[in-house]
Amino acid sequence: MADRQEPASGWAPTRALGRAVLLTGLLLVAAVLLGRIDLVVLATPFALGTAYALRRRPTALPALEIGVEDTHLVEGAPMTAAVAVGNPDTVSYDVAVVRTRMSRWLRVEKVGFGGTGVDVSHSGGADRPFVTSVPSGSAVDLELTGTALRWGRHPIGPAGARVAAADGLLVSRAVLTDAVRMRVYPMTEPFEAVEAMPRAAGLVGAHRSRRPGEGGELAGVRVFAPGDRLRRIDWRVSLRARQLHVAATLSDRDAEVVVLLDVLAEAGRSGGVRGAASVLDTTVRAAAAIAEHYLHRGDRVAMLEYGPAARRLRPATGRRQYLTVLEWLLDVKAESSPHEPYDQVFGPQLLSSDALVVVLTPLLDERSAQMLARMARGGRFVVAVDTLPAELPVPKDRGWAEVAYRLWRLDRDTMIGQLREHGVPVVRWAGAGSLDQVLRDVARLATAPKAGLR
C-alpha cells in the first residue's frame, strides 16, 4: 500500500496519517476476528482516502527568503520587507506556517499575504505564526510594513516555515533562513554654525582666512606689485593717487573638524525617533548633524571614539565622506572600561593641532573631564557638547536615592564649572545654533595673544 512507503527526505508523517492507518488497521483486524463484513466496508473510505492523498507525495522542501525593499533608511521612515515562501515542487502545499523575528526598533504595523494586510500594531507585532497555502511552482510573500524607530543595524529574521501537503498527512521539517540587516541612519537634527573657525589650515574652502590670497573677502587696497592680476586693479583709487593700486583679499581656506564621541557611559532610556532620547541617541544624531554641516561647507571631518575600542575615521571631505560617517555611526555603542583610553585615542599624529575638536560627552565619567582638560592644556581648540538628557528621571526609591541624585548633580555642575575655568566651553546640545556663541569665543581666543595656562 502507498501508506507503507517511507516518506521523502525532510518530510515526516503527521498524526493525522497515523490515526488513519491505525483506524484502518483496527477495523480490518476486528472484521477478520469477528467475521463482520460491515467493518471492512467501514474501513474502506479511510484506506482509499489515505491512499488517494498520498498518491503524489512532495519531494522538495519549501524555499524561504527575506527581502527588503530598501536597506538604507532614516529614523522615522516607513519600512517594507517580505518573507517569500516558494514551492519548487509539482505538488501544492496545503498549509504553510511562516514566522519571523523582528527588531524591536522596527515597528511592524501591517502584515499580510499578497496585499491583504492585517493591522498588527496593537496585537503583538509580527512575531507570531501566519498561515497560507502555496500552489506548485509559485511563491507567496508575507509582506511586513511599518516604521523604523531608531538608528542602527536592525535584523529582520531569522525566519522559519513549515508546510503540510498530501491533505495534511505529511509535514516538512522546519526551514530556516538567516536574518537580513536593515541599516537605519540617524535623523540629522537641524544644525547651523558660524563661519568663524579657530585656524583654517587648507588652501581652499569657505572660511575666511587671516592670510592674504585669492579670495572673496576684501582686506584693503595696496600699491600694485609684480605678480598682481590686472583684474584686481582699483581704477578709482589709482586715478586719484596717480599710481596703480589693487584690491587685496583674504584667502578662503578649509578647516579640519574632529567629532569626538564619548562612549564610556550610557544614560536614559531610548524611545525611538519620536520618544525620549538617551545619551547615545543624542550623541549619534548630533554627530551626524555636525558632520553634515561642515562637510557641506567643504571642510574636512574626522570621527573619533573615546572608549576602549578607540575607533577612528580619517578626515576627508565631500558627500562620500558624509555617507561613510553615517555608516560609521551605526556601530557606535557604549562600552565601559577600567583602563584610561586617552593614549589610545590621542596617540602621536592622530589629531591635528589646528583641528577644531567637538567632544560629545555626557560627562558621567571623571576620565572624560580629565581628557577635556588635557586637550585644553595642550593648546587644542576644544568644544564640549553636553549630551546628558535634560529630562533624566529622578530616582523615587525610598531612602537616600533622591538625596544622592541631587548631590551627584551638584558634583557634576562643579566639574563643568572647573572645565570652563580651564578654558573648555561646555554647551548643551539644542540643535540649530547650539555652538554659535561658543565657536565665536573659540575663534576669538585663537587670535588673542597666547598666555600661560595656569
Side-chain angles (χ1 to χ4, degrees):
M1 295 179 61
D3 59 320
R4 297 180 65 88
Q5 298 178 7
E6 288 293 327
S9 176
W11 292 83
T14 63
R15 292 182 179 180
L17 177 58
R19 289 192 297 267
V21 173
L22 178 61
L23 183 57
T24 302
L26 290 177
L27 289 174
L28 292 177
V29 171
V32 172
L33 294 178
L34 299 176
R36 295 181 55 179
I37 193 65
D38 57 331
L39 294 180
V40 177
V41 175
L42 188 61
T44 300
F46 294 99
L48 292 178
T50 303
Y52 181 81
L54 294 176
R55 76 193 189 284
R56 295 181 61 195
R57 301 197 305 177
T59 58
L61 293 174
L64 195 63
E65 183 180 358
I66 299 177
V68 179
E69 184 174 316
D70 188 1
T71 57
H72 300 72
L73 299 177
V74 180
E75 289 178 305
M79 71 95 186
T80 303
V83 181
V85 185
N87 182 359
D89 212 319
T90 57
V91 180
S92 298
Y93 296 153
D94 300 322
V95 175
V97 181
V98 186
R99 187 168 187 171
T100 182
R101 291 183 178 179
M102 297 286 293
S103 168
R104 69 188 185 97
W105 297 117
L106 299 176
R107 184 177 64 192
V108 178
E109 300 166 350
K110 192 176 182 181
V111 180
F113 288 100
T116 57
V118 178
D119 188 1
V120 295
S121 56
H122 302 290
S123 58
D127 190 13
R128 60 177 183 171
F130 293 91
V131 180
T132 186
S133 60
V134 186
S136 60
S138 63
V140 177
D141 291 341
L142 175 64
E143 298 175 356
L144 311 169
T145 57
T147 306
L149 298 180
R150 189 175 185 255
W151 58 272
R153 304 180 191 271
H154 304 305
I156 300 178
R162 297 189 72 176
V163 300
D167 292 338
L169 299 182
L170 295 177
V171 64
S172 72
R173 63 174 173 84
V175 177
L176 301 177
T177 184
D178 295 333
V180 174
R181 295 279 177 176
M182 177 176 284
R183 299 184 183 98
V184 181
Y185 295 128
M187 182 180 62
T188 54
E189 301 180 12
F191 171 70
E192 294 291 340
V194 295
E195 297 184 8
M197 295 292 290
R199 286 179 187 166
L203 297 177
V204 294
H207 299 289
R208 184 181 63 190
S209 171
R210 291 171 180 80
R211 299 180 182 180
E214 293 296 328
E217 187 70 20
L218 184 65
V221 180
R222 59 176 175 80
V223 178
F224 180 87
D228 288 336
R229 296 187 179 185
L230 296 180
R231 65 177 182 176
R232 294 287 187 182
I233 296 177
D234 190 325
W235 293 106
R236 181 177 299 177
V237 176
S238 300
L239 290 174
R240 187 167 54 248
R242 298 183 178 277
Q243 187 178 7
L244 286 179
H245 283 70
V246 294
T249 58
L250 297 176
S251 62
D252 295 331
R253 301 196 167 218
D254 64 352
E256 180 176 332
V257 180
V258 178
V259 183
L260 178 60
L261 283 67
D262 181 2
V263 295
L264 290 178
E266 166 71 313
R269 179 175 297 179
S270 177
V273 67
R274 298 184 183 90
S278 66
V279 167
L280 278 188
D281 288 342
T282 304
T283 299
V284 170
R285 292 165 186 164
I290 293 172
E292 181 184 26
H293 170 78
Y294 284 110
L295 287 172
H296 181 70
R297 297 189 59 81
D299 297 321
R300 301 184 305 278
V301 175
M303 310 294 286
L304 279 174
E305 269 190 5
Y306 186 68
R311 295 193 307 133
R312 179 174 184 266
L313 180 64
R314 64 176 182 82
T317 61
R319 178 170 177 77
R320 182 176 181 180
Q321 176 71 354
Y322 176 61
L323 297 177
T324 306
V325 165
L326 292 180
E327 196 75 19
W328 188 87
L329 289 174
L330 296 183
D331 297 320
V332 173
K333 58 182 179 180
E335 295 181 276
S336 60
S337 173
H339 307 291
E340 171 59 61
Y342 186 87
D343 296 332
Q344 303 175 27
V345 179
F346 304 104
Q349 300 179 350
L350 284 182
L351 199 61
S352 172
S353 59
D354 293 329
L356 170 65
V357 184
V358 180
V359 183
L360 302 169
T361 173
L363 291 173
L364 294 175
D365 196 307
E366 187 177 349
R367 291 172 295 181
S368 302
Q370 294 173 355
M371 173 265 294
L372 290 168
R374 286 188 206 177
M375 285 198 295
R377 288 197 299 266
R380 300 188 184 277
F381 305 105
V382 186
V383 175
V385 180
D386 186 3
T387 58
L388 189 70
E391 63 279 1
L392 199 65
V394 180
K396 299 297 183 182
D397 299 338
R398 294 182 179 180
W400 298 94
E402 186 174 352
V403 176
Y405 176 81
R406 292 171 60 188
L407 290 175
W408 170 77
R409 275 288 189 182
L410 290 174
D411 183 65
R412 186 174 180 275
D413 292 341
T414 302
M415 179 175 60
I416 292 175
Q418 292 174 346
L419 284 174
R420 288 170 174 158
E421 290 178 358
H422 279 79
V424 180
V426 181
V427 61
R428 179 175 294 279
W429 175 257
S434 297
L435 309 182
D436 277 356
Q437 185 59 43
V438 174
L439 289 178
R440 290 192 188 96
D441 295 341
V442 172
R444 186 166 57 251
L445 289 174
T447 60
K450 293 186 178 294
L453 292 175
R454 293 181 293 177

mmCIF file of all heavy atoms in Angstrom, residues 272-293:
data_model
loop_
_atom_site.group_PDB
_atom_site.id
_atom_site.type_symbol
_atom_site.label_atom_id
_atom_site.label_comp_id
_atom_site.label_asym_id
_atom_site.label_seq_id
_atom_site.Cartn_x
_atom_site.Cartn_y
_atom_site.Cartn_z
ATOM 1 N N GLY A 272 13.092 55.864 20.739
ATOM 2 C CA GLY A 272 12.986 55.946 19.295
ATOM 3 C C GLY A 272 12.959 57.377 18.804
ATOM 4 O O GLY A 272 13.188 58.335 19.555
ATOM 5 N N VAL A 273 12.633 57.525 17.530
ATOM 6 C CA VAL A 273 12.723 58.836 16.905
ATOM 7 C C VAL A 273 11.692 59.806 17.466
ATOM 8 O O VAL A 273 11.923 61.023 17.486
ATOM 9 C CB VAL A 273 12.572 58.681 15.377
ATOM 10 C CG1 VAL A 273 11.171 58.217 15.016
ATOM 11 C CG2 VAL A 273 12.902 59.980 14.658
ATOM 12 N N ARG A 274 10.562 59.318 17.928
ATOM 13 C CA ARG A 274 9.522 60.213 18.446
ATOM 14 C C ARG A 274 9.410 60.166 19.958
ATOM 15 O O ARG A 274 8.473 60.712 20.522
ATOM 16 C CB ARG A 274 8.168 59.846 17.817
ATOM 17 C CG ARG A 274 8.131 59.999 16.305
ATOM 18 C CD ARG A 274 6.755 59.725 15.743
ATOM 19 N NE ARG A 274 6.734 59.811 14.292
ATOM 20 C CZ ARG A 274 6.948 58.813 13.469
ATOM 21 N NH1 ARG A 274 7.187 57.602 13.983
ATOM 22 N NH2 ARG A 274 6.927 58.961 12.164
ATOM 23 N N GLY A 275 10.323 59.497 20.615
ATOM 24 C CA GLY A 275 10.283 59.377 22.061
ATOM 25 C C GLY A 275 11.473 60.059 22.713
ATOM 26 O O GLY A 275 12.149 60.910 22.108
ATOM 27 N N ALA A 276 11.714 59.694 23.953
ATOM 28 C CA ALA A 276 12.842 60.265 24.696
ATOM 29 C C ALA A 276 14.155 59.799 24.085
ATOM 30 O O ALA A 276 14.241 58.716 23.495
ATOM 31 C CB ALA A 276 12.752 59.848 26.161
ATOM 32 N N ALA A 277 15.170 60.620 24.222
ATOM 33 C CA ALA A 277 16.487 60.320 23.660
ATOM 34 C C ALA A 277 17.453 59.959 24.773
ATOM 35 O O ALA A 277 17.526 60.650 25.795
ATOM 36 C CB ALA A 277 17.023 61.510 22.870
ATOM 37 N N SER A 278 18.190 58.886 24.589
ATOM 38 C CA SER A 278 19.240 58.520 25.521
ATOM 39 C C SER A 278 20.510 59.283 25.170
ATOM 40 O O SER A 278 20.554 60.057 24.207
ATOM 41 C CB SER A 278 19.490 57.014 25.471
ATOM 42 O OG SER A 278 20.025 56.648 24.212
ATOM 43 N N VAL A 279 21.569 59.053 25.941
ATOM 44 C CA VAL A 279 22.840 59.711 25.663
ATOM 45 C C VAL A 279 23.358 59.334 24.282
ATOM 46 O O VAL A 279 23.780 60.185 23.497
ATOM 47 C CB VAL A 279 23.872 59.352 26.758
ATOM 48 C CG1 VAL A 279 25.275 59.750 26.319
ATOM 49 C CG2 VAL A 279 23.531 60.057 28.056
ATOM 50 N N LEU A 280 23.308 58.043 23.945
ATOM 51 C CA LEU A 280 23.796 57.614 22.631
ATOM 52 C C LEU A 280 22.953 58.186 21.505
ATOM 53 O O LEU A 280 23.479 58.527 20.442
ATOM 54 C CB LEU A 280 23.811 56.085 22.558
ATOM 55 C CG LEU A 280 25.018 55.364 23.170
ATOM 56 C CD1 LEU A 280 24.973 53.887 22.845
ATOM 57 C CD2 LEU A 280 26.331 55.970 22.701
ATOM 58 N N ASP A 281 21.642 58.280 21.708
ATOM 59 C CA ASP A 281 20.785 58.868 20.682
ATOM 60 C C ASP A 281 21.212 60.301 20.387
ATOM 61 O O ASP A 281 21.396 60.694 19.225
ATOM 62 C CB ASP A 281 19.321 58.843 21.132
ATOM 63 C CG ASP A 281 18.736 57.446 21.098
ATOM 64 O OD1 ASP A 281 19.308 56.575 20.428
ATOM 65 O OD2 ASP A 281 17.706 57.221 21.759
ATOM 66 N N THR A 282 21.347 61.094 21.440
ATOM 67 C CA THR A 282 21.751 62.491 21.258
ATOM 68 C C THR A 282 23.140 62.584 20.639
ATOM 69 O O THR A 282 23.390 63.410 19.749
ATOM 70 C CB THR A 282 21.716 63.228 22.596
ATOM 71 O OG1 THR A 282 20.416 63.121 23.179
ATOM 72 C CG2 THR A 282 22.066 64.696 22.424
ATOM 73 N N THR A 283 24.059 61.727 21.096
ATOM 74 C CA THR A 283 25.427 61.755 20.588
ATOM 75 C C THR A 283 25.477 61.450 19.102
ATOM 76 O O THR A 283 26.107 62.174 18.317
ATOM 77 C CB THR A 283 26.285 60.746 21.365
ATOM 78 O OG1 THR A 283 26.304 61.105 22.750
ATOM 79 C CG2 THR A 283 27.708 60.731 20.837
ATOM 80 N N VAL A 284 24.815 60.388 18.689
ATOM 81 C CA VAL A 284 24.883 59.963 17.285
ATOM 82 C C VAL A 284 24.171 60.975 16.379
ATOM 83 O O VAL A 284 24.688 61.342 15.313
ATOM 84 C CB VAL A 284 24.276 58.560 17.135
ATOM 85 C CG1 VAL A 284 24.097 58.188 15.668
ATOM 86 C CG2 VAL A 284 25.157 57.528 17.826
ATOM 87 N N ARG A 285 23.001 61.443 16.793
ATOM 88 C CA ARG A 285 22.270 62.392 15.944
ATOM 89 C C ARG A 285 23.002 63.731 15.847
ATOM 90 O O ARG A 285 23.039 64.351 14.774
ATOM 91 C CB ARG A 285 20.870 62.599 16.500
ATOM 92 C CG ARG A 285 19.991 61.356 16.367
ATOM 93 C CD ARG A 285 18.749 61.439 17.216
ATOM 94 N NE ARG A 285 17.988 60.189 17.197
ATOM 95 C CZ ARG A 285 17.036 59.882 18.070
ATOM 96 N NH1 ARG A 285 16.709 60.739 19.024
ATOM 97 N NH2 ARG A 285 16.416 58.723 17.982
ATOM 98 N N ALA A 286 23.591 64.182 16.954
ATOM 99 C CA ALA A 286 24.345 65.430 16.909
ATOM 100 C C ALA A 286 25.598 65.280 16.054
ATOM 101 O O ALA A 286 25.953 66.193 15.288
ATOM 102 C CB ALA A 286 24.725 65.858 18.328
ATOM 103 N N ALA A 287 26.278 64.146 16.157
ATOM 104 C CA ALA A 287 27.474 63.914 15.341
ATOM 105 C C ALA A 287 27.131 63.927 13.853
ATOM 106 O O ALA A 287 27.864 64.498 13.041
ATOM 107 C CB ALA A 287 28.123 62.589 15.725
ATOM 108 N N ALA A 288 26.012 63.311 13.497
ATOM 109 C CA ALA A 288 25.598 63.307 12.093
ATOM 110 C C ALA A 288 25.280 64.712 11.612
ATOM 111 O O ALA A 288 25.633 65.092 10.481
ATOM 112 C CB ALA A 288 24.393 62.388 11.912
ATOM 113 N N ALA A 289 24.619 65.510 12.449
ATOM 114 C CA ALA A 289 24.260 66.872 12.052
ATOM 115 C C ALA A 289 25.496 67.753 11.900
ATOM 116 O O ALA A 289 25.613 68.531 10.943
ATOM 117 C CB ALA A 289 23.296 67.467 13.076
ATOM 118 N N ILE A 290 26.435 67.640 12.840
ATOM 119 C CA ILE A 290 27.656 68.458 12.770
ATOM 120 C C ILE A 290 28.474 68.071 11.545
ATOM 121 O O ILE A 290 28.983 68.939 10.818
ATOM 122 C CB ILE A 290 28.466 68.290 14.068
ATOM 123 C CG1 ILE A 290 27.693 68.892 15.247
ATOM 124 C CG2 ILE A 290 29.826 68.952 13.939
ATOM 125 C CD1 ILE A 290 28.319 68.617 16.598
ATOM 126 N N ALA A 291 28.612 66.767 11.306
ATOM 127 C CA ALA A 291 29.381 66.318 10.141
ATOM 128 C C ALA A 291 28.728 66.791 8.845
ATOM 129 O O ALA A 291 29.416 67.250 7.922
ATOM 130 C CB ALA A 291 29.501 64.798 10.162
ATOM 131 N N GLU A 292 27.419 66.714 8.766
ATOM 132 C CA GLU A 292 26.726 67.148 7.554
ATOM 133 C C GLU A 292 26.949 68.632 7.294
ATOM 134 O O GLU A 292 27.189 69.055 6.157
ATOM 135 C CB GLU A 292 25.236 66.849 7.676
ATOM 136 C CG GLU A 292 24.429 67.255 6.452
ATOM 137 C CD GLU A 292 22.940 67.032 6.624
ATOM 138 O OE1 GLU A 292 22.474 67.052 7.790
ATOM 139 O OE2 GLU A 292 22.241 66.855 5.617
ATOM 140 N N HIS A 293 26.890 69.431 8.355
ATOM 141 C CA HIS A 293 27.053 70.877 8.189
ATOM 142 C C HIS A 293 28.439 71.223 7.664
ATOM 143 O O HIS A 293 28.571 71.957 6.666
ATOM 144 C CB HIS A 293 26.807 71.575 9.529
ATOM 145 C CG HIS A 293 27.175 73.029 9.516
ATOM 146 N ND1 HIS A 293 26.379 73.992 8.945
ATOM 147 C CD2 HIS A 293 28.274 73.670 9.999
ATOM 148 C CE1 HIS A 293 26.964 75.178 9.068
ATOM 149 N NE2 HIS A 293 28.112 75.012 9.707
#
